[in-house]
Amino acid sequence: MAEHNLSHIDLNEYPHINKGLDGIVAFSTTKSNINGQTGELIYSGYHIDTLAENATFEEVCFLLWYDRLPNQTELDELHKKLQANRELPEPVLTYIKTTNPKAEPMAVVRSAVSMLADFVDDDASDEYNAIIMTAQIPTIIAAFDRARNGKEVVAPLKDGSTAFNFLYMLNDEKPGQAAERVMDLCLVLHAEHGMNASTFTCRSICATESDIFSAVSGAIGALKGPLHGGANTAVMNTLLILKEQGENADPVAFTKAKLDRKEKIMGFGHRVYKTFDPRAYHLRKMSKELSEETGHVYLYEWSEAMVKTMKEEKNIDPNVDFFSATVYYSIGIQPDLYTCIFAMSRISGWTAHFFEQKANNRLIRPRALYIGEKNLPWTPVEDR
Amino acid sequence: MAEHNLSHIDLNEYPHINKGLDGIVAFSTTKSNINGQTGELIYSGYHIDTLAENATFEEVCFLLWYDRLPNQTELDELHKKLQANRELPEPVLTYIKTTNPKAEPMAVVRSAVSMLADFVDDDASDEYNAIIMTAQIPTIIAAFDRARNGKEVVAPLKDGSTAFNFLYMLNDEKPGQAAERVMDLCLVLHAEHGMNASTFTCRSICATESDIFSAVSGAIGALKGPLHGGANTAVMNTLLILKEQGENADPVAFTKAKLDRKEKIMGFGHRVYKTFDPRAYHLRKMSKELSEETGHVYLYEWSEAMVKTMKEEKNIDPNVDFFSATVYYSIGIQPDLYTCIFAMSRISGWTAHFFEQKANNRLIRPRALYIGEKNLPWTPVEDR
């Protein structure tokens, strides 16, 4: 907005301004560890490869909340609580059905999650509220996608996994085992990831002793940004532009031309990983298998060509968003819902960090250096 | 939640953990400067005393957005834009009227502001959206307060100041000049205040390149916390407990007893100010005058007794929340709306910081130290 003349500031007297808080350690955590050099990711003790091969999303929720895997009784109980709490309060459903159908899906998820706060008791525990949000975010996403497309909203099932029920509500058709497993694996891979911008936002809001709905709706707002979760939608939109070029589509030339124009190519590079994102391995494998099954092999091949070009030209590897885009596309999900699915998974990590922050809290309040004028005299409006 | 055995961590190898980011300079800003030692506050060049004596809330909005005071034409235009945009979109009003009347007012403001995003064009400017929120937050607060009390919602006026119109919508009665001036001064005093937790949240969300509604709804969630804006409601609740003691009410003994029990006394002390909060001077003066006018002199006297006791016992001064509580009480506003009024004012500072962050952005992503286990082997659920 306004332009500033900084000539009155002695630049030698500036303190160091750490604009991104890079490298500053603000928390200790048991929720996840990222080794950016080796490309390793751990959730509460377990390597992401171990979890990708063995765990369900519900097991990961329990793991992140309690720092251990549930036994059979505990897992059954968690499933039951999630299944019993999937239905939305009537005013939330009314909002979803009557708001502007062109609204951004992430904005609708943010508003609907915020509204859920009105329908829990003041003395409900944070754990209960975490379950409410984990159970209802899938319902919110599916209901809005159907409502905006003029389709009848499908009520949630009272059984089945989070992944199964979400695909059922979205398509009004029970998914097969393969689709459920793909969806579930995507939820496992996106559940938690260190001190990213949305998790940090969640903890900053928690630190004022505000409530868990405030913290999560703030986190959803942060995830919505293209520099954070919004990237996977952008990746798919890039691939769809390529698709429009039909037979002339050339992913290598396309990527190089974008680089020449100094345009950002979404889905590559990461503030923390200096190597291949470990989640991208699993998504890449899924993307290959699914593209073959669903006749989108060209999308997978283009993706690989882009990965190769980016490595050669810029030495940058793909991140989690790059292959998740083609995976979601192959199972028939609209590109503008991808970030919502990210939120549907990350709710587990956000709420886990909320519990952890609350247990050992301090208000988060960095400083800003003032570079404006001081003590200007008042000028009456008629003299301005 | 879970208890952790940290014996496997070598504490000597810990990096420094800055839990509250105290003293870390993360931004440069022209929006405000706080000198905690001398108790000075500046908004975009002007001392808070100068503004308190001369400026209206609308002038402060313009000042914070553009770093200069508006001329008459610009000020008239801003008034017109605010007046023209006070009405809520129908689905937002429906939500406010039909949600749980026992919902927390700040939660309703958070949800309703979040919903406003659905009704602006994708290409609306941030400045336009800032005006939409500044114009509509008062309507949201007044509509919910009336709806929850079974009263008819009062449509906003198409003229008058933000302060005048808010009191009109709240009470269905046009306020007198004195009440309008008090309300306006409260809005001026709460408009901006450095890198507080909600402003920091706003900038963190903006830094992902997310939208201004995401940033502001996140900020509202942060402001809601009792360690931030929620304190003024808590101050009034404390005074009302004292009031219940009737003739036996003794603010000095009451304060000392709370201190003996090591209870936090809300409205005192500040992370930044080590002396009297400059805003508290203006609010104290207003509190005195209003309590005399409205027959609540005892509340003012109790407040002063508490201030004196806190100074003697703990050498802690009151902050902005302490006297704003009695001011709002004297003009007949329900205690649980105080933090909403804070938001109705602070929208100006939040949006100003959003503009500033966006103009010179970097993703905000501090680190966390992982103190959990690593690479645990998988145990099948039946063996746990």
Side-chain angles (χ1 to χ4, degrees):
Chain A
M1 321 262 331
E3 296 276 333
H4 293 288
N5 176 1
L6 300 182
S7 59
H8 62 292
I9 300 274
D10 178 354
L11 290 168
N12 294 318
E13 284 185 10
Y14 264 38
H16 173 67
I17 300 182
N18 190 323
K19 274 179 67 182
L21 296 175
D22 304 69
I24 296 204
V25 181
F27 308 93
S28 62
T29 184
T30 58
K31 300 309 165 192
S32 60
N33 187 47
I34 305 166
N35 185 327
Q37 298 304 321
T38 59
E40 273 184 307
L41 171 62
I42 283 167
Y43 293 176
S44 297
Y46 294 87
H47 195 288
I48 192 67
D49 293 345
T50 306
L51 297 169
E53 280 157 30
N54 297 287
T56 63
F57 175 61
E58 288 79 4
E59 278 177 303
V60 167
C61 290
F62 191 101
L63 173 64
L64 290 170
W65 291 338
Y66 303 102
D67 285 329
R68 63 176 179 84
L69 291 170
N71 64 32
Q72 190 69 60
T73 313
E74 290 165 332
L75 185 58
D76 292 346
E77 204 172 298
L78 176 58
H79 271 282
K80 267 186 215 144
K81 283 185 192 164
L82 289 169
Q83 289 159 353
N85 284 294
R86 286 174 178 161
E87 266 187 57
L88 301 175
E90 200 53 44
V92 180
L93 194 56
T94 301
Y95 157 63
I96 290 171
K97 286 179 178 172
T98 58
T99 196
N100 184 353
K102 291 191 174 153
E104 287 187 82
M106 276 294 276
V108 173
V109 174
R110 183 189 65 222
S111 301
V113 167
S114 176
M115 289 170 73
L116 296 181
D118 299 357
F119 305 96
V120 295
D121 288 340
D122 280 353
D123 57 356
S125 70
D126 292 326
E127 286 160 284
Y128 174 82
N129 291 336
I131 284 175
I132 290 289
M133 288 189 278
T134 309
Q136 293 182 21
I137 290 176
T139 317
I140 292 166
I141 301 167
F144 180 62
D145 189 52
R146 293 190 66 85
R148 70 173 174 169
N149 288 306
K151 294 178 187 162
E152 205 160 325
V153 169
V154 177
L157 297 168
K158 292 200 188 299
D159 57 12
S161 71
T162 301
F164 183 91
N165 177 61
F166 173 66
L167 291 174
Y168 163 73
M169 291 187 296
L170 195 67
N171 302 317
D172 195 16
E173 193 183 305
K174 292 190 179 179
Q177 233 176 353
E180 178 187 2
R181 177 66 193 132
V182 165
M183 189 71 229
D184 192 60
L185 184 49
C186 286
L187 297 180
V188 168
L189 292 174
H190 288 82
E192 164 60 13
H193 202 252
M195 201 44 60
N196 55 81
S198 59
T199 300
F200 178 57
T201 298
C202 177
R203 290 185 81 131
S204 295
I205 295 174
C206 174
T208 71
E209 293 185 3
S210 192
D211 66 290
I212 196 165
F213 295 97
S214 289
V216 169
S217 52
I220 293 170
L223 185 68
K224 182 171 177 291
L227 294 189
H228 189 5
N232 54 12
T233 297
V235 169
M236 197 62 230
N237 289 338
T238 304
L239 288 169
L240 292 176
I241 289 170
L242 201 52
K243 194 181 172 190
E244 278 172 16
Q245 299 178 354
E247 285 184 6
N248 300 320
D250 179 344
V252 175
F254 179 80
T255 306
K256 285 183 179 172
K258 271 179 102 69
L259 289 175
D260 285 346
R261 293 192 303 269
K262 301 205 187 304
E263 286 175 22
K264 195 169 163 61
I265 300 187
M266 304 305 280
F268 287 90
H270 196 277
R271 179 84 78 93
V272 180
Y273 291 117
K274 301 305 169 207
T275 179
F276 216 91
D277 183 326
R279 301 164 299 175
Y281 278 116
H282 295 279
L283 288 161
R284 179 191 224 169
K285 194 167 153 242
M286 247 192 290
S287 174
K288 184 167 192 291
E289 288 166 11
L290 279 170
S291 66
E292 285 162 3
E293 274 175 38
T294 58
H296 294 125
V297 177
Y298 63 95
L299 278 180
Y300 174 72
E301 287 172 354
W302 291 350
S303 302
E304 287 292 357
M306 286 180 75
V307 167
K308 196 158 167 279
T309 310
M310 286 297 283
K311 190 70 187 174
E312 284 168 6
E313 300 285 321
K314 302 294 259 183
N315 195 26
I316 301 178
D317 289 301
N319 58 38
V320 69
D321 300 309
F322 190 70
F323 286 107
S324 67
T326 45
V327 166
Y328 295 144
Y329 189 79
S330 293
I331 58 173
I333 298 172
Q334 291 299 306
D336 68 353
L337 295 184
Y338 297 176
T339 317
C340 299
I341 295 172
F342 196 153
M344 171 177 152
S345 162
R346 187 58 58 85
I347 182 66
S348 55
W350 290 330
T351 47
H353 278 275
F354 185 94
F355 301 153
E356 192 175 50
Q357 178 68 27
K358 192 164 172 174
N360 186 10
N361 189 42
R362 177 160 174 81
L363 186 66
I364 297 168
R365 199 186 200 296
R367 303 293 292 264
L369 174 74
Y370 182 66
I371 56 169
E373 306 279 349
K374 285 186 184 171
N375 298 322
L376 295 173
W378 182 255
T379 316
V381 66
E382 57 275 19
D383 300 335
R384 288 174 206 156
Chain B
M1 322 256 344
E3 296 275 332
H4 294 288
N5 176 359
L6 300 182
S7 59
H8 62 292
I9 300 273
D10 178 354
L11 290 169
N12 295 318
E13 285 185 9
Y14 264 39
H16 172 67
I17 300 182
N18 189 323
K19 275 178 68 183
L21 296 174
D22 303 68
I24 296 206
V25 181
F27 309 93
S28 62
T29 184
T30 58
K31 301 310 165 193
S32 60
N33 187 48
I34 305 165
N35 186 327
Q37 299 303 323
T38 58
E40 274 185 306
L41 170 62
I42 284 167
Y43 291 176
S44 298
Y46 294 87
H47 195 288
I48 192 67
D49 292 345
T50 306
L51 297 170
E53 281 157 31
N54 298 286
T56 63
F57 175 61
E58 289 78 4
E59 279 178 302
V60 166
C61 290
F62 191 101
L63 173 64
L64 290 169
W65 291 339
Y66 304 101
D67 285 329
R68 63 177 179 84
L69 290 169
N71 63 33
Q72 191 69 60
T73 314
E74 290 165 331
L75 185 59
D76 291 346
E77 203 171 301
L78 176 58
H79 270 283
K80 269 187 214 142
K81 283 185 192 164
L82 289 168
Q83 289 159 354
N85 284 294
R86 286 173 178 161
E87 266 186 58
L88 300 176
E90 200 53 46
V92 180
L93 194 56
T94 302
Y95 157 63
I96 290 170
K97 286 178 177 172
T98 57
T99 197
N100 185 351
K102 290 189 175 155
E104 287 187 82
M106 275 295 276
V108 173
V109 174
R110 184 188 66 221
S111 301
V113 167
S114 175
M115 289 170 73
L116 296 182
D118 299 357
F119 305 97
V120 295
D121 288 339
D122 280 354
D123 57 357
S125 70
D126 292 327
E127 286 160 284
Y128 174 82
N129 291 337
I131 285 175
I132 291 289
M133 289 187 280
T134 309
Q136 293 182 20
I137 290 175
T139 318
I140 292 166
I141 300 167
F144 179 62
D145 190 53
R146 293 190 66 86
R148 69 174 175 169
N149 288 306
K151 294 178 187 163
E152 206 160 325
V153 169
V154 177
L157 297 168
K158 291 199 190 300
D159 58 13
S161 71
T162 302
F164 184 91
N165 177 62
F166 172 67
L167 291 174
Y168 164 72
M169 291 188 295
L170 195 68
N171 301 318
D172 195 16
E173 195 182 304
K174 292 190 179 179
Q177 231 176 354
E180 179 187 1
R181 176 65 193 133
V182 165
M183 190 69 229
D184 192 60
L185 184 49
C186 286
L187 296 180
V188 167
L189 292 174
H190 288 82
E192 165 59 14
H193 203 252
M195 201 45 58
N196 55 81
S198 59
T199 300
F200 178 57
T201 298
C202 177
R203 290 186 80 131
S204 296
I205 295 174
C206 174
T208 71
E209 294 186 2
S210 193
D211 66 290
I212 197 166
F213 295 97
S214 289
V216 169
S217 52
I220 294 169
L223 185 67
K224 182 171 178 290
L227 293 190
H228 189 6
N232 54 11
T233 297
V235 168
M236 197 62 229
N237 289 339
T238 303
L239 288 169
L240 292 175
I241 290 169
L242 200 54
K243 194 181 172 192
E244 277 171 18
Q245 299 178 355
E247 286 184 7
N248 299 320
D250 178 345
V252 175
F254 179 80
T255 306
K256 285 184 179 173
K258 271 179 102 68
L259 288 174
D260 285 345
R261 291 192 303 270
K262 300 203 186 305
E263 287 176 20
K264 195 170 165 60
I265 300 186
M266 304 306 280
F268 287 90
H270 196 277
R271 178 86 77 93
V272 180
Y273 291 116
K274 301 304 169 206
T275 178
F276 216 91
D277 183 325
R279 302 165 297 176
Y281 278 115
H282 296 279
L283 288 161
R284 181 192 224 169
K285 195 167 153 242
M286 247 192 290
S287 175
K288 184 166 191 289
E289 289 166 10
L290 279 169
S291 66
E292 285 163 2
E293 276 175 38
T294 58
H296 294 125
V297 177
Y298 64 96
L299 276 180
Y300 174 73
E301 287 171 354
W302 291 350
S303 301
E304 288 291 355
M306 285 180 76
V307 167
K308 194 157 169 281
T309 310
M310 285 298 283
K311 189 72 187 173
E312 285 167 5
E313 298 286 320
K314 302 294 260 183
N315 194 26
I316 301 179
D317 289 300
N319 58 39
V320 69
D321 299 311
F322 190 71
F323 286 106
S324 68
T326 44
V327 167
Y328 295 144
Y329 189 79
S330 292
I331 57 173
I333 298 172
Q334 290 299 305
D336 67 354
L337 296 185
Y338 297 176
T339 317
C340 299
I341 295 172
F342 196 153
M344 171 177 152
S345 162
R346 186 57 59 84
I347 183 66
S348 56
W350 290 330
T351 47
H353 279 275
F354 184 94
F355 302 153
E356 191 175 50
Q357 178 69 26
K358 192 164 172 175
N360 186 9
N361 188 41
R362 177 160 174 82
L363 186 67
I364 298 168
R365 197 186 202 295
R367 304 293 292 263
L369 174 74
Y370 183 67
I371 56 169
E373 306 278 349
K374 285 186 185 173
N375 298 322
L376 295 173
W378 183 255
T379 316
V381 66
E382 57 274 18
D383 300 335
R384 288 175 208 154

